[in-house]
Amino acid sequence: MKAKLGVGALVVLFLGGLWLVAAPFAVGYQPRGAEYADATVNDLWVGGGLIGIAFVALVVYAADALRELARRGKHAES
């Protein structure tokens, strides 16, 4: 149960990061062709950071889950 909650939280963080990256353009506070506003730069950095951290954590979790499945498979064969 705790694993599902953790993965769910990481997915929400990933989606939140995607929204932060897209928000300046979707909401319209970054005019097309204009120099990036400070708020846009902030959203891009924070959103990109959240995306990166959540993605790495999800990959680490998936690798650990696969390692555990492989370990269980070896014990079942013996």
Side-chain angles (χ1 to χ4, degrees):
M1 179 65 178
K2 288 182 183 180
K4 288 182 182 179
L5 184 62
V7 169
L10 289 173
V11 169
V12 168
L13 280 175
F14 185 82
L15 293 175
L18 283 177
W19 171 248
L20 281 174
V21 169
F25 311 103
V27 176
Y29 64 83
Q30 175 58 48
R32 179 174 276 176
E35 187 176 330
Y36 281 177
D38 289 342
T40 301
V41 173
N42 185 53
D43 279 359
L44 293 176
W45 277 106
V46 173
L50 280 177
I51 290 168
I53 290 169
F55 181 76
V56 168
L58 284 168
V59 168
V60 167
Y61 175 79
D64 187 50
L66 288 173
R67 187 174 21 252
E68 182 63 28
L69 285 173
R71 191 174 321 157
R72 287 182 188 177
K74 284 184 180 179
H75 291 300
E77 291 177 0
S78 300

